[in-house]
Amino acid sequence: MLALLRIRRIIITSNTHTKLYSTTTTLQPLQQPLTKTQIKTLVLKNYTNANFTNLIKNVVASPSVIFTAIHNISSTPTPHPNPFFNITSLVQELRENRFDVAANCATLNPPSTQNGSFLVLPNLKLKVVIEAVRMVLEAVYDERFVTFCYGGRFGMGRHTAIRYLKNSVQNPTWWFTVRFKNHKFEHAHVEKLCFFIERKVKDCVFIDFIKKLFECKVLVIELGGNWLGKGFPQECGLCSILMNVYFDGFDKEIQETRLRENRENRELDPKMVVDSSLGGADVFYKPVKVYAVRYLDEILVATSGGSKLLAMDLKMKVVKSLELGLSLRVDKLNTAIHSAVSEKIEFLGMELQAVPPSVLRPPMSEKAIRARKKYLRQKEVRALEFRNARARNRRILGLKIFNHVYKKMKQSDGFKFDYSIENEVREIFKSWGDEVVQEFLGSVDECQEWHRSLTAGDFLSLRHIRNQLPPELVDAYDNFQEQVDKHLNPVKLRKVIEEKERKEKQEEEQKYSKGTVEDLTRFCMKVDAPLLLIRKAVRLLAFTNHMGRPRPIEFLFALEDADIIKWYAGIARRWLDFFCCCHNFKVVKTIVSYHLRFSCILTLAEKHESTKREAIKHFSKDLKVYDMNGNDEIHFPTEREVKMMGDRNLSDPKPVDGVLSLATVRLASDEPPTHCIAHFCDKTTTVFYRVRLLQNRLNVNPLEKEKWVQGMGVIHESLNQKCLPLCTDHIHDFYLGRITLQDIDCTSCVDVD
């Protein structure tokens, strides 16, 4: 049956498609890839008369820049010194403007049974050039972008935008998100984009290269779609930076509007505030402020302290600027103003709402307070038991020491040692005695009892008795009473304890009053994960049945046990990474720990025709698997690991759509070894994996909003049923979501009938 497999390879050349695995020239061993500062220095060397010139010839065509681009897009930590194409020839073509973009593209057509458009993808050689151009554009523009421009920039991802919303946006009243109609960049948009670039870059070769990418359909920018910034193969590496360049003028207009509103609505003059201590009332003043956040084609504008008319006027200016200034199609029906307090708004795949501080940091309930008091009492009891046990052990040890010393002294004339231990023993007993005294003096009840015993009813306190006694005896008695009052009088200690309790009560009252005032005068940003969409995605992939209980997934039976666990682990870890900044993160943890974990267990049980209990006994709840050496591996996050996760480490997470939208099934084949198609991987021990897209497997049209998950990405149909030759390391990373389809040379995929 294996001999009947007919394999058709997609390969690339200038006329016919052949893969560029040229081993004639190897890359000269460079020490390290260039840093951003070094790349910026190279770019600034070509800065003359307030413009950048000759960027392709002098910067992009530099071997060090090409090596850095290879290092950036490589799917391995250290790319192989042989990059599968002639570096010297590539540098020469770029410098002489002979590089042919169309010859380094491949066209993937969807299967005959599908009705879809073709997909044009760059080969590995063109990807390197595109990455080099992206680095140059980043060096030119990154410091010129406004602060609220996120996406496509280092350290400016989704979590950074969410952190800005949570920490900087105060008391939002009205806000709106700009929604675009689904449309691609046309010729007019490309010309406008090139016009914007020409303001800074006076390089015809550079501009023509970008235009050629658009003409060949390698570079496609689609606004209002569902695949930007999600690691899908139809997205070019230049999309993000070019979108930021295109929206840069719009961003600066919003920035000027923000600054103008802040100048016109300054903070309240301190002289106008009436001091509440002089009989006046507290003044709560909320100046009008405008906030904005843009992540690629998602735009959020919020106002604080202003009326709805201000928000409406701001929305009209934003829509007018986008439609007239940038020639974009705004979906005015969905670009509506919402109340920040009473309505939620969707942004960056999450739900935002303005809430009082008590919602984010709720006070302890009565049950929690009782539990805390019980815990503190138990802690005190354990501490008392520990002190009693320590005193008992010391008493026993001391008696043993004294008994031993007494016997030795009785049986002989004395101890005879080579060294003296009297000082050590004396220090030990002194430390014990100091601790006992400190504990005794810290007890109010015991000090009071001893003080009463030593001061009450003593005849030496009577005047007629004192006159008959010698003065030395009276003075000694008075000194003794002073020491008793100084060390054993519980009044001072009791006052200290009462003062401490009074301060704690006062601080608690102040905290309560402050929290009450903040709840009435202040609003914070609450970020929630869209639970309805997550549950819909869980049902769409058949993780659960109609009752919401975990169930097995049949199409995964063809995978190996380790691959099944890795497929589930990739979805689980990406969900946890993506939603770790949300307020309701505990619910996402529950979905991962319960629905995904037990769906994986049930899938393994159904595959091996066993029960759930037997599968748990074999794989454990942590889903352990064993490698070839017998060592256990855990890919799915453990229950303890999930419990400890939070928003301490925020980053730019990779969306989970790429893992959800497809499954790769291993094929049995007797084909000769071939190269792994991950970027710059030289391994030839590969296995073929067939791609099965979610929308085709479920026979669901992603354009049908009632069936598809809103905001969930869609991989291009031309990759359906294609086979990817991957080595064990990269298929492992692909299942776990560490690499995406953008890290794979999809032009070298294989058709297997």
Side-chain angles (χ1 to χ4, degrees):
M1 182 176 180
L2 297 177
L4 298 178
L5 289 176
R6 181 169 57 88
I7 298 182
R8 184 172 66 257
R9 300 179 182 277
I10 299 177
I11 321 185
I12 302 177
T13 66
S14 57
N15 298 321
T16 60
H17 297 301
T18 62
K19 188 174 181 179
L20 291 175
Y21 278 127
S22 172
T23 59
T24 57
T25 302
T26 59
L27 186 65
Q28 296 297 327
L30 299 177
Q31 289 79 5
Q32 291 293 334
L34 298 179
T35 62
K36 288 190 174 183
T37 305
Q38 293 171 335
I39 295 175
K40 186 177 179 180
T41 303
L42 285 176
V43 174
L44 290 177
K45 287 181 180 179
N46 298 272
Y47 185 75
T48 56
N49 299 326
N51 290 300
F52 295 92
T53 58
N54 298 325
L55 293 180
I56 290 288
K57 181 179 179 180
N58 297 338
V59 183
V60 176
S62 174
S64 59
V65 175
I66 295 294
F67 174 78
T68 306
I70 291 174
H71 186 275
N72 289 347
I73 69 174
S74 175
S75 56
T76 58
T78 55
H80 194 264
N82 184 354
F84 307 133
F85 55 83
N86 195 316
I87 296 296
T88 305
S89 175
L90 174 60
V91 170
Q92 196 68 22
E93 290 177 5
L94 290 173
R95 288 178 176 174
E96 297 176 1
N97 194 18
R98 293 186 295 102
F99 185 77
D100 192 353
V101 175
N104 291 277
C105 299
T107 302
L108 299 184
N109 295 314
S112 57
T113 57
Q114 304 290 339
N115 294 323
S117 59
F118 61 90
L119 177 64
V120 179
L121 296 176
N123 68 349
L124 201 53
K125 185 177 180 179
L126 181 56
K127 277 188 177 183
V128 172
V129 180
I130 290 175
E131 175 61 19
V133 173
R134 188 203 65 80
M135 292 189 301
V136 171
L137 283 175
E138 183 182 25
V140 172
Y141 282 100
D142 192 61
E143 294 184 356
R144 292 175 170 83
F145 292 141
V146 296
T147 55
F148 59 82
C149 170
Y150 296 89
R153 303 174 63 189
F154 179 77
M156 301 284 283
R158 280 184 173 86
H159 283 173
T160 312
I162 292 297
R163 181 167 49 198
Y164 167 76
L165 291 172
K166 292 165 67 174
N167 297 338
S168 301
V169 178
Q170 298 179 359
N171 302 316
T173 51
W174 303 97
W175 55 19
F176 62 91
T177 56
V178 179
R179 304 293 183 185
F180 294 99
K181 295 180 181 179
N182 192 356
H183 67 286
K184 298 180 180 179
F185 263 34
E186 299 173 352
H187 179 72
H189 298 101
V190 176
E191 292 295 329
K192 191 181 292 292
L193 173 63
C194 294
F195 173 74
F196 293 154
I197 298 176
E198 286 177 347
R199 293 177 180 176
K200 286 292 179 184
V201 181
K202 297 296 183 180
D203 188 350
C204 298
V205 179
F206 192 91
I207 301 299
D208 291 340
F209 178 79
I210 294 178
K211 289 182 179 180
K212 193 64 177 178
L213 292 177
F214 278 102
E215 291 175 4
C216 297
K217 303 298 181 181
V218 174
L219 180 56
V220 178
I221 298 179
E222 180 179 354
L223 299 181
N226 53 3
W227 49 264
L228 277 176
K230 296 185 177 180
F232 291 163
Q234 58 262 38
E235 181 184 4
C236 182
L238 278 175
C239 285
S240 300
I241 187 73
L242 290 180
M243 285 190 64
N244 290 336
V245 173
Y246 194 79
F247 280 95
D248 186 50
F250 167 78
D251 294 341
K252 286 182 169 56
E253 290 182 9
I254 297 295
Q255 183 72 357
E256 292 176 0
T257 303
R258 293 180 58 196
L259 296 177
R260 184 175 63 253
E261 291 293 337
N262 292 340
R263 286 195 302 266
E264 295 176 356
N265 300 275
R266 296 178 179 177
E267 295 289 345
L268 187 62
D269 190 354
K271 297 180 180 179
M272 299 175 58
V273 180
V274 182
D275 192 355
S276 60
S277 62
L278 301 178
D282 292 332
V283 177
F284 301 100
Y285 175 66
K286 298 180 181 178
V288 178
K289 291 186 177 181
V290 177
Y291 301 95
V293 174
R294 184 182 64 80
Y295 183 88
L296 298 181
D297 63 338
E298 298 186 59
I299 304 172
L300 171 67
V301 181
T303 61
S304 173
S307 63
K308 189 175 182 179
L309 293 176
L310 174 63
M312 293 177 63
D313 183 50
L314 191 60
K315 190 195 80 168
M316 292 176 61
K317 292 180 180 178
V318 169
V319 173
K320 183 179 179 181
S321 177
L322 291 172
E323 289 184 338
L324 300 181
L326 299 181
S327 304
L328 300 178
R329 304 170 192 170
V330 180
D331 187 357
K332 297 181 181 179
L333 183 62
N334 293 320
T335 305
I337 297 175
H338 300 273
S339 171
V341 178
S342 58
E343 297 178 85
K344 291 184 178 181
I345 194 169
E346 294 182 2
F347 185 64
L348 298 180
M350 303 172 193
E351 296 177 350
L352 309 180
Q353 187 177 10
V355 296
S358 60
V359 176
L360 297 180
R361 295 174 294 274
M364 295 179 64
S365 62
E366 294 183 0
K367 183 178 180 181
I369 293 174
R370 291 196 301 269
R372 181 172 179 80
K373 289 182 178 179
K374 181 180 179 181
Y375 168 74
L376 293 177
R377 287 196 301 269
Q378 292 176 350
K379 188 177 179 180
E380 291 177 358
V381 170
R382 287 195 296 268
L384 180 60
E385 291 177 351
F386 177 74
R387 288 197 299 269
N388 293 338
R390 185 174 56 181
R392 183 179 64 252
N393 294 335
R394 287 178 177 178
R395 184 173 63 252
I396 295 173
L397 180 59
L399 291 176
K400 287 183 178 181
I401 292 174
F402 280 119
N403 188 22
H404 179 71
V405 171
Y406 177 74
K407 286 183 178 180
K408 289 292 184 181
M409 293 292 293
K410 196 174 181 181
Q411 295 175 1
S412 61
D413 296 336
F415 294 106
K416 295 180 180 179
F417 294 106
D418 295 336
Y419 56 91
S420 177
I421 63 171
E422 290 85 354
N423 294 331
E424 288 78 0
V425 175
R426 187 177 293 108
E427 289 296 329
I428 292 174
F429 277 93
K430 183 179 178 181
S431 63
W432 290 359
D434 291 341
E435 291 182 9
V436 172
V437 172
Q438 292 297 328
E439 290 180 3
F440 172 77
L441 295 178
S443 176
V444 178
D445 297 334
E446 292 186 4
C447 288
Q448 184 175 3
E449 182 179 354
W450 275 90
H451 185 270
R452 186 186 303 112
S453 301
L454 295 174
T455 58
D458 200 303
F459 69 95
L460 289 178
S461 61
L462 300 177
R463 184 178 296 275
H464 65 280
I465 298 295
R466 292 168 62 90
N467 295 334
Q468 301 176 14
L469 295 176
E472 295 81 2
L473 179 59
V474 174
D475 293 341
Y477 173 75
D478 291 341
N479 292 333
F480 175 73
Q481 290 298 324
E482 288 179 2
Q483 296 298 322
V484 170
D485 289 337
K486 178 180 178 180
H487 296 286
L488 298 180
N489 190 359
V491 176
K492 294 182 179 179
L493 185 60
R494 195 181 300 277
K495 286 183 178 180
V496 172
I497 295 175
E498 290 177 355
E499 182 68 17
K500 184 179 179 181
E501 292 178 352
R502 187 185 65 80
K503 287 184 178 180
E504 290 179 354
K505 186 176 181 181
Q506 186 178 2
E507 290 177 358
E508 185 177 354
E509 291 177 354
Q510 291 177 355
K511 185 178 179 181
Y512 176 77
S513 61
K514 182 180 178 181
T516 304
V517 172
E518 285 186 348
D519 277 358
L520 296 175
T521 60
R522 181 186 171 197
F523 288 98
C524 301
M525 189 73 67
K526 185 180 74 167
V527 181
D528 281 342
L531 299 180
L532 293 178
L533 298 181
I534 294 177
R535 292 191 174 101
K536 186 174 181 180
V538 167
R539 289 195 300 270
L540 183 67
L541 269 78
F543 286 124
T544 60
N545 55 20
H546 65 283
M547 297 292 291
R549 296 177 180 175
R551 64 174 299 277
I553 299 180
E554 296 179 356
F555 76 90
L556 296 177
F557 292 171
L559 301 180
E560 296 181 358
D561 295 345
D563 292 341
I564 293 175
I565 295 174
K566 291 175 186 176
W567 186 81
Y568 277 95
I571 298 174
R573 290 190 180 277
R574 280 207 187 175
W575 256 338
L576 293 172
D577 291 341
F578 192 83
F579 294 113
C580 69
C581 60
C582 297
H583 183 257
N584 58 350
F585 186 45
K586 289 184 178 179
V587 184
V588 181
K589 289 182 180 181
T590 303
I591 293 175
V592 170
S593 293
Y594 175 63
H595 293 93
L596 268 66
R597 187 185 303 277
F598 282 94
S599 175
C600 181
I601 292 173
L602 291 173
T603 301
L604 294 170
E606 285 289 330
K607 175 187 175 182
H608 296 286
E609 298 181 354
S610 61
T611 62
K612 181 180 71 173
R613 188 181 299 274
E614 292 174 349
I616 293 177
K617 185 177 180 181
H618 180 75
F619 296 99
S620 77
K621 279 191 177 181
D622 294 334
L623 297 171
K624 294 181 181 180
V625 291
Y626 297 91
D627 57 9
M628 299 298 294
N629 299 325
N631 301 321
D632 59 325
E633 297 178 346
I634 299 178
H635 304 291
F636 199 93
T638 63
E639 294 180 345
R640 180 179 179 83
E641 186 180 355
V642 172
K643 185 178 180 180
M644 298 300 293
M645 286 184 177
D647 59 350
R648 289 182 293 272
N649 298 320
L650 298 182
S651 60
D652 191 10
K654 294 181 179 179
V656 72
D657 307 44
V659 183
L660 279 172
S661 302
L662 61 85
T664 52
V665 182
R666 179 173 181 174
L667 295 181
S669 173
D670 58 353
E671 283 297 303
T674 182
H675 279 278
C676 175
I677 63 173
H679 290 171
F680 302 107
C681 179
D682 61 335
K683 295 183 179 179
T684 57
T685 55
T686 57
V687 178
F688 288 100
Y689 292 87
R690 187 187 295 276
V691 175
R692 297 184 182 274
L693 299 184
L694 176 64
Q695 64 267 25
N696 298 92
R697 183 177 58 83
L698 298 177
N699 195 20
V700 175
N701 186 3
L703 299 179
E704 299 178 2
K705 296 182 179 180
E706 65 277 0
K707 293 184 180 181
W708 196 254
V709 180
Q710 182 181 358
M712 183 173 170
V714 180
I715 300 176
H716 200 276
E717 291 182 349
S718 60
L719 289 177
N720 190 41
Q721 300 296 324
K722 294 291 190 297
C723 292
L724 309 176
L726 294 171
C727 62
T728 55
D729 293 337
H730 286 114
I731 191 60
H732 169 81
D733 293 339
F734 186 73
Y735 276 128
L736 293 178
R738 296 171 183 168
I739 62 174
T740 63
L741 287 172
Q742 280 191 336
D743 301 314
I744 295 174
D745 185 12
C746 294
T747 60
S748 301
C749 61
V750 175
D751 279 337
V752 178
D753 297 332

